[in-house]
Every structure is written in C-alpha cells, then in structure tokens.
Amino acid sequence: MENFVFYSPTYFVFGKDEESKAGKYVRRFGASKVLIHYGGGSVVRSGLLARVKASLENEGIEFVELGGVKPNPRSGLVYTGIDLCRKEKVDFVLAVGGGSTIDSAKAIAAGVVYEGDFWDYFQGKVITKALPIGTILTISAAGSEGSPDAVITNENGMYKRGATGEALRPAFSVLNPALTQTLSPYQIACGITDIMAHLFERYFTTTQEVEVTDRMIEGLLLAMIHEAPRVIKDTNNYQALANIMWAGMMAHNNSCGVGRAQDWASHDIEHELSAIYDCAHGAGLAVVFPAWMTYNMKHDINRFAQLAVRVWGCQMDFAQPENTAKAGIAALKQFLQSIGMPTDFAGLGAKEEDIEKMAHTACYGDGRKGTIGGFASLSKNDLVAIYRLML
Ligand code: NZQ
Ligand code: ZN
C-alpha cells in the first residue's frame, strides 16, 4: 500500500424525508444567501424543488434559482451561474439533482471566488477555494455527492474535462433513496454501471498488497450485482435503492481507492463519447469497459482472473488464467446486457469515422501529453484499437 491522505469532510444525511430539513442544513453550514441549482425539470415535476424552497423559507434563508442543467453539463450555464451568484451576493450553492447538476454547481462555486476563467480549473489547475456546496441527490451514479471532482463539457469544441480539489467536497449531502423512485429502469441501470465503473477504475492498479481496498471494491461490486436485477424489476424497491445509493457514494468518495494507483482511462475514453453523442455517461461506460478490459488484461492476467473468481464466481483455470480472465469479462458483458445497457457503438449512436478524432482529443486535447491511464499507459493508437473493439 502507498502513503495517502484521506479527507472526506462531507456531512451525509441518509433517509426518507431528510430533504425537508434542507434549510436547517444550509444554515448549519453558514449560508445567508443560496443559489438553488437544478436540471431540466424532474425536480419540479416531483415536487422536490418546492419542498426544498419551503424548507429554506421556513428558516428565513434567502435564495435565487437557476435551473436548466443538461446531462453532460455545459460550460455556458456555469458562466451564467457565476454571474448570477456575484450579482446576488450568493454565499452557498445548493444542487438539487444528479451528478450533472452537482458538477455544474461545483464549477459555479469555484468560479465565483476565482478571478480568472473557471475553465482554467478544467485544464489542470487544482481548486483550493470555492463557495460551500450542499447537495440533494436524485440519482445514484456519479458519486459527486461525496467526491472532490466535477466534470463539465466545454461548448467551445464539445469536449468534456474534469476538475478536482478538496474545496469541491460538498459540505453536506442529503441522500434520500425515495427520491430515486421516479427514475426509469434505464436511468437506474446507467447509474449502477457508473458505480461499478468507479470501482473498476480503482481495482485495476499496479500497487501490490492492497487486500483491504480490493475486498471493499469486490464487496461493493457483489452488492450491485445482487441489487441491480431487483431494482430493475421493481423501481420502487426502497431497500435496494438505498443500498445502491450508499454504494454510489462509497464507490467514488475514494474510501476504497486510497493507497493504490488507479487507472481512469476508461472514463477519459467514455467522456469523448458522451461529449460528442450526448449519451448517458453510464451507457457509454457499459460499452467502453469490456473493450478496455479485453485490450488490457495482458498487463496483469492474475488481477483480471482474481476479479473473475471473486466477483463473477468463475472457476480458476490455474494452467491458463487467461481463460478465467476472459470468462470474467464475458460475465460482465452479460450482466450489463441483462440490465438493458448497450454493448456497442450502434447502441450509443456513435460512429466509426469519429474514432481518430476521439482518440486524438483524449490523448492530446487541452494540454494532455499523449498518453492516458494509470494501470496501463495508453497512446492514441491504443485508444483507436480500443474504440474499434466497440464497433
Ligand atoms: O435534468 P433532470 O430533469 O433533473 O433529469 C435528469 C437527467 O435527465 C434525470 N434525473 C435525475 N434524477 C431524477 C431524474 N429523472 C427522474 N427522477 C429522478 N429522481 O436523469 C438524467 C441524468 O442526470 P445526470 O445528473 O446527468 O446523471 P448522473 O448522476 O449520472 O451524472 C452524470 C454526469 O456526471 C459526470 C458524468 O461525466 C456526467 O456528466 N461524472 C461526475 C463525476 C464526479 N463529479 O465525481 C464522476 C463520474 O465518473 C462522472 O464522470
Ligand atoms: Zn463515472
């Protein structure tokens, strides 16, 4: 295990009806004027936004609103939010929605207190200062409710980049699984896929002797494999949704990623797809991950075989562990298909003729140095080969 620092100061409130205390939590973290940020309307239709506003009013906390965050959130609305916060002297940003809304809120919170262009942060500058952020989560997926990261699509070129910094960890996050009961089976499956992807990105490591975090990751993956079919069958299953919601947070607040090198190439490969074709991030990952695994298992067959045995229940082939590794990848593919995820480019509306461009942007765009990935270092040619496996 490597040395590490783990700082996760978010105050998590988990359970039914907790969003009705939003005003109390906002007050607890020192807000006097709040920006309520939300997406395309699901929180209006469900009545959640009205409940949150009533809670702030009851506490006598002033607020302004900015809706309209799109999935794969855009830079344009971030600039609008920054201007609004400065004009209204906002000192707290409350995101009500999914990962896209939370990420847009994080970018606004960082941009308000930064004199330069907020996009600097998405080109590698670490975020050390931001307005405090609160979240009321409505979909279990991105893990942004506990992470120090934000992902934004730059509309000038339509490419996606991430920014990071401890200042982006939310001050509080309300996790009420009942708020996710309005999601479709497809949206829930996309979320589960993203949660599993966050675990795979950490599992594929070059660091030795990481048994505790290996076992945590395997445990969370097994829980997702157990809960997914239950919740796809009955999207009202509160207990299954509750387990998925906490797994989504655990998978990405890095409690199971500490002390080990991580990969993240699959996320970079996927971000090109969701930036260009506007597919759901989780759906993109369902297509990317089996291809990335097939291409990269040669780098550590035993680790792939270990995953296959411990998580997918495959029989270990000691003479040819490659067979076990392959069986694990096949089991993952079958699982993703069983929960309604796409399996190839066609399922994402992606086109073969864009492969070169995506591989190039992933490796060289916006100051990148030509390779991505911590487990296996991948060049543009490697990415072309991986994208081709998805055709
Ligand atoms: O916009 P509204 O109307 O709210 O509808 C949303 C959106 O259309 C809908 N939705 C959310 N909660 C709902 C609901 N519909 C009905 N009932 C509910 N309870 O779901 C759609 C997708 O929402 P979105 O916020 O885009 O989903 P998700 O949480 O999967 O976020 C995806 C974004 O997160 C980024 C991704 O790249 C993508 O842009 N990521 C952020 C990370 C982070 N900050 O740490 C890490 C992740 O790896 C990921 O890259
Ligand atoms: Zn993700």
Side-chain angles (χ1 to χ4, degrees):
M1 207 193 292
E2 297 168 3
N3 292 4
F4 66 86
V5 172
F6 182 59
Y7 176 68
S8 179
T10 306
Y11 182 92
F12 291 105
V13 190
F14 193 98
K16 285 180 188 163
D17 301 327
E18 287 296 335
E19 68 279 4
S20 59
K21 298 182 202 140
K24 283 197 173 62
Y25 301 128
V26 163
R27 179 174 291 295
R28 181 188 170 119
F29 290 96
S32 57
K33 186 151 187 188
V34 174
L35 171 71
I36 303 178
H37 200 35
Y38 57 94
S42 72
V43 300
V44 179
R45 290 189 294 278
S46 67
L48 172 61
L49 185 68
R51 292 206 297 286
V52 170
K53 288 201 284 193
S55 170
L56 264 61
E57 277 160 6
N58 285 344
E59 288 291 321
I61 292 170
E62 282 185 62
F63 57 82
V64 287
E65 289 174 48
L66 180 63
V69 181
K70 292 187 173 143
N72 306 314
R74 312 293 153 89
S75 49
L77 196 67
V78 175
Y79 290 111
T80 307
I82 292 170
D83 289 345
L84 180 64
C85 286
R86 287 183 180 152
K87 185 168 144 254
E88 296 287 340
K89 302 203 172 6
V90 161
D91 59 9
F92 192 100
V93 184
L94 179 61
V96 186
S100 296
T101 295
I102 298 173
D103 287 359
S104 184
K106 286 177 170 180
I108 292 170
V112 172
V113 293
Y114 178 59
E115 282 179 6
D117 182 347
F118 91 90
W119 193 255
D120 293 349
Y121 289 130
F122 290 77
Q123 292 178 300
K125 188 178 164 72
V126 174
I127 300 175
T128 54
K129 211 173 150 212
L131 293 181
I133 301 144
T135 85
I136 297 174
L137 185 65
T138 62
I139 175 170
S140 308
S144 192
E145 66 277 13
S147 85
D149 311 311
V151 182
I152 300 289
T153 299
N154 192 327
E155 280 158 308
N156 186 10
M158 291 311 276
Y159 60 96
K160 240 179 168 183
R161 285 290 179 270
T164 194
E166 296 298 352
L168 290 190
R169 297 248 195 204
F172 75 84
S173 283
V174 171
L175 274 54
N176 174 359
L179 297 179
T180 66
Q181 283 169 330
T182 48
L183 289 161
S184 68
Y186 180 79
Q187 287 170 315
I188 294 175
C190 286
I192 290 170
T193 307
D194 193 19
I195 293 167
M196 293 175 75
H198 296 161
L199 296 164
F200 291 139
E201 296 282 18
R202 293 175 165 92
Y203 197 78
F204 293 105
T205 183
T206 50
T207 312
Q208 301 299 306
E209 304 277 355
V210 284
E211 189 67 6
V212 168
T213 43
D214 267 3
R215 294 288 185 179
M216 286 170 72
I217 292 171
E218 290 158 5
L220 286 163
L221 286 168
L222 284 164
M224 292 304 88
I225 294 163
H226 173 72
E227 299 297 7
R230 298 174 71 210
V231 80
I232 298 298
K233 200 165 137 210
D234 174 12
T235 56
N236 276 319
N237 185 332
Y238 178 87
Q239 294 302 341
L241 289 169
N243 280 287
I244 294 166
M245 193 167 239
W246 192 240
M249 202 297 295
M250 289 289 288
H252 200 45
N253 86 330
N254 211 30
S255 42
C256 51
V258 292
R260 54 196 291 151
Q262 303 180 11
D263 189 67
W264 295 98
S266 298
H267 266 69
D268 288 340
I269 295 168
E270 192 294 312
H271 285 163
E272 299 307 322
L273 292 164
S274 49
I276 297 180
Y277 307 108
D278 212 11
C279 55
H281 171 60
L285 287 165
V287 178
V288 170
F289 246 105
W292 177 91
M293 288 176 168
T294 303
Y295 191 78
N296 289 301
M297 67 179 184
K298 59 186 179 235
H299 293 292
D300 188 349
I301 283 290
N302 288 337
R303 180 150 281 276
F304 281 84
Q306 175 180 293
L307 180 78
V309 171
R310 290 185 184 175
V311 171
W312 298 109
C314 300
Q315 194 69 34
M316 183 67 197
D317 183 338
F318 290 99
Q320 284 181 296
E322 192 181 332
N323 290 338
T324 313
K326 280 185 186 158
I329 299 169
L332 168 65
K333 268 190 188 168
Q334 200 182 10
F335 168 80
L336 293 171
Q337 216 170 352
S338 77
I339 61 170
M341 286 291 93
T343 53
D344 56 18
F345 255 35
L348 298 171
K351 299 194 186 79
E352 188 176 357
E353 66 245 36
D354 291 329
I355 286 180
E356 275 286 321
K357 182 182 156 214
M358 291 191 288
H360 182 84
T361 314
C363 282
Y364 293 101
D366 234 359
R368 288 202 181 146
K369 302 278 185 283
T371 56
I372 58 167
F375 170 74
S377 179
L378 302 173
S379 67
K380 182 184 165 187
N381 286 345
D382 294 318
L383 293 204
V384 168
I386 292 171
Y387 279 122
R388 296 200 71 79
L389 288 174
M390 304 176 209
L391 290 172

